Amino acid sequence: DARARHRRGVTVLAGPVPGDAAERGGGGVTVIAFTVDGIPAPKGSARAIKRGGYAVLVASSSDANKRAQSSWAAAVGWAAKIAWAGRPPFDGPVGVDVTFYVPRPKSVTREYPEVKPDADKLLRCTLDALTGIAYRDDAQVIAPHPTKLYANDGQPGASIEVYRYPRTAGPVSARSDER
């Protein structure tokens, strides 16, 4: 049975797996789903520059984007901490399904947001924010599934589902309403 809790606008759905907690971490839970309100922010690619004969990696983003990244990462981190409710991060391989709901400009009539920001860069910022909370290292994520849609109700954010891989429970929806 999946159980749902509502706290601070976060919906948490967790499906138990008896006897699995000690072996794999995660407090006996195989799927945790939650929502995050806010404008999803992309994380750009790092680029290498040469300094004094050494290559140095530098983040390639503007100050405005750094603020947006920080705000989005904080929102994701807090929502994940609430959803995890003190459980340890998952050990082993995990999958992450994220549906990003981006604001629809008033002048746009197309159905899908096939413009920037890229879904993979939105995912990069989100996965980094989940590190240490949902899983120990984002290298554990072997099945990332980002989707980018317009927030038809005007409320941007994301639905996030983190699960042990291979998935042992049926799909768990983080939102009962369509955005």
Side-chain angles (χ1 to χ4, degrees):
D1 280 49
R3 31 185 193 102
R5 281 183 295 131
H6 303 279
R7 195 178 343 159
R8 292 189 196 174
V10 176
T11 303
V12 181
L13 298 162
V17 176
D20 201 23
E23 307 157 354
R24 309 257 329 253
V29 172
T30 188
V31 178
I32 295 183
F34 56 98
T35 61
V36 182
D37 290 332
I39 298 175
K43 185 169 188 176
S45 303
R47 57 191 169 102
I49 62 169
K50 194 172 180 181
R51 282 201 185 142
Y54 294 97
V56 179
L57 285 177
V58 188
S60 60
S61 62
S62 67
D63 287 339
N65 191 42
K66 285 179 188 172
R67 285 190 296 274
Q69 281 179 25
S70 177
S71 176
W72 178 247
V76 170
W78 280 110
K81 285 178 184 177
I82 291 168
W84 244 254
R87 294 178 190 94
F90 286 154
D91 286 324
V94 297
V96 179
D97 295 348
V98 184
T99 302
F100 296 102
Y101 298 96
V102 297
R104 179 191 296 268
K106 292 182 193 264
S107 62
V108 172
T109 58
R110 69 179 162 267
E111 186 176 358
Y112 297 105
E114 57 221 56
V115 295
K116 290 187 178 206
D118 299 353
D120 62 324
K121 293 194 177 175
L122 293 171
L123 182 66
R124 185 177 300 153
C125 188
T126 304
L127 292 179
D128 285 349
L130 292 171
T131 299
I133 302 167
Y135 37 79
R136 298 186 194 292
D137 187 325
D138 59 2
Q140 291 173 245
V141 180
I142 65 165
H145 299 283
T147 303
K148 183 176 68 166
L149 301 171
Y150 281 124
N152 290 328
D153 66 357
Q155 179 63 40
S159 293
I160 302 174
E161 220 173 274
V162 183
Y163 55 93
R164 292 201 175 123
Y165 196 88
R167 189 176 202 138
T168 56
V172 178
S173 175
R175 291 185 187 252
S176 59
D177 60 334
E178 288 295 319
R179 280 195 176 235

